[in-house]
Amino acid sequence: MNHHDTPPDTILIVEDEPKIARLVADYLEGNGFATRHLDHGDAVLPWLEHAREDNAAPDLVLLDLMLPGTDGLTLCREIRQRWPRLPVIMLTARVEEVDRLLGLELGADDYICKPFSPREVVARVKAVLRRSRAALAPATTTGSDLVLDDDGWRALADGQDLGLTAVEFQLLRVMMHAPGRIFSRDQLMDHMYRDHRIVSERTVDSHIKKLRKKIGEVWPEREIIRSVYGVGYKYQPEE
Ligand code: CA
């Protein structure tokens, strides 16, 4: 929302197709967002560095996969590493591409397939911003000796960094907020991605599996993420 006392959220659009960039920018601006546009992959990281220094960092990046210069995959990884709290929505040309992207665990917050309606883009942008802000609200979440550091997207078990990916961190975070509550795979997917059609339940299972493995490396005796047969998963710190 664009009130005069709060600056509008700024969306960086990285897209080499001028028509698409213009269309998306128009819709976002019509919905109260400010936009910036880059059309070359090589320009993105230096631009973000400068924006950060000038205190003009964007609130979200819409990132095309196929770009001249540095490609979207590389950029997404770099952004995740250097600015872990900056949400990224990837724009891809094909639905089939999304499964592969998810497998690569780039840490993008959402994926939108071309061709898309600009209205869909606005809805996704709003949803991702809402979600990432909700996820960052409290500074730390504690479950006995497991601590989530929201600023650094880290989970510490007995002070030891579990080295979680963004998706694993989110999954753990969602479950830790309601200990003992059983989450279906569907509900967990809701917290991960907006578009159910493109994420299979197996994707959730494989992220959970990796999450449990990482916790198990620190606490081999404890099983704090439990699977509930036929239903889903829950966080259960105590017996
Ligand atoms: Ca392109």
Side-chain angles (χ1 to χ4, degrees):
M1 283 303 131
N2 193 356
H3 305 292
H4 33 240
D5 52 344
T6 51
D9 288 328
T10 302
I11 312 302
L12 172 63
I13 302 164
V14 184
E15 169 64 69
D16 57 319
E17 199 88 50
K19 261 197 198 155
I20 296 178
R22 191 65 256 160
L23 186 67
V24 170
D26 283 348
Y27 259 77
L28 285 167
E29 284 164 19
N31 280 271
F33 293 97
T35 64
R36 301 286 181 275
H37 175 221
L38 298 174
D39 60 6
H40 199 285
D42 292 351
V44 176
L45 298 174
W47 188 92
L48 282 170
E49 293 276 7
H50 281 116
R52 185 52 56 119
E53 284 163 19
D54 297 345
N55 234 345
D59 297 281
L60 183 145
V61 183
L62 276 175
L63 181 59
D64 186 26
L65 181 64
M66 301 292 279
L67 290 164
T70 315
D71 64 280
L73 293 182
T74 309
L75 288 171
C76 187
R77 267 203 203 96
E78 279 290 316
I79 290 171
R80 252 309 142 264
Q81 255 179 20
R82 290 155 77 168
W83 303 283
R85 284 188 288 166
L86 176 59
V88 176
I89 299 179
M90 298 286 297
L91 306 174
T92 79
R94 285 177 302 143
V95 183
E96 308 89 77
E97 191 69 16
V98 171
D99 268 337
R100 194 173 76 81
L101 293 174
L102 288 173
L104 292 174
E105 298 200 27
L106 298 170
D109 295 84
D110 206 349
Y111 300 86
I112 302 176
C113 293
K114 294 177 178 180
F116 47 71
S117 77
R119 205 182 309 166
E120 183 191 358
V121 175
V122 171
R124 298 283 193 100
V125 165
K126 286 181 176 170
V128 166
L129 282 174
R130 208 167 37 234
R131 209 162 61 203
S132 71
R133 276 168 192 161
L136 293 169
T140 52
T141 309
T142 322
S144 56
D145 26 21
L146 185 63
V147 176
L148 295 190
D149 161 22
D150 281 343
D151 283 333
W153 286 63
R154 293 184 311 159
L156 306 168
D158 289 336
Q160 200 171 322
D161 188 350
L162 294 178
L164 302 185
T165 63
V167 171
E168 291 159 4
F169 178 84
Q170 287 269 67
L171 279 170
L172 178 59
R173 193 175 188 293
V174 167
M175 288 187 282
M176 272 181 75
H177 266 259
R181 177 175 155 196
I182 300 164
F183 290 88
S184 68
R185 290 172 179 80
D186 234 33
Q187 287 169 329
L188 290 172
M189 281 191 271
D190 251 357
H191 288 276
M192 302 294 101
Y193 316 100
R194 229 180 94 83
D195 193 340
H196 291 197
R197 293 164 302 171
I198 57 170
V199 185
S200 69
E201 300 202 334
R202 278 206 313 261
T203 312
V204 174
D205 289 341
S206 97
H207 286 302
I208 292 273
K209 196 173 159 194
K210 288 177 201 154
L211 172 60
R212 292 167 104 177
K213 188 164 169 254
K214 288 177 183 177
I215 295 170
E217 278 163 15
V218 182
W219 292 328
E221 317 273 88
R222 292 175 65 182
E223 201 197 354
I224 61 173
I225 306 292
R226 315 242 175 115
S227 54
V228 181
Y229 185 73
V231 188
Y233 297 98
K234 64 177 176 176
Y235 169 73
Q236 190 81 56
E238 316 299 340
E239 283 311 313

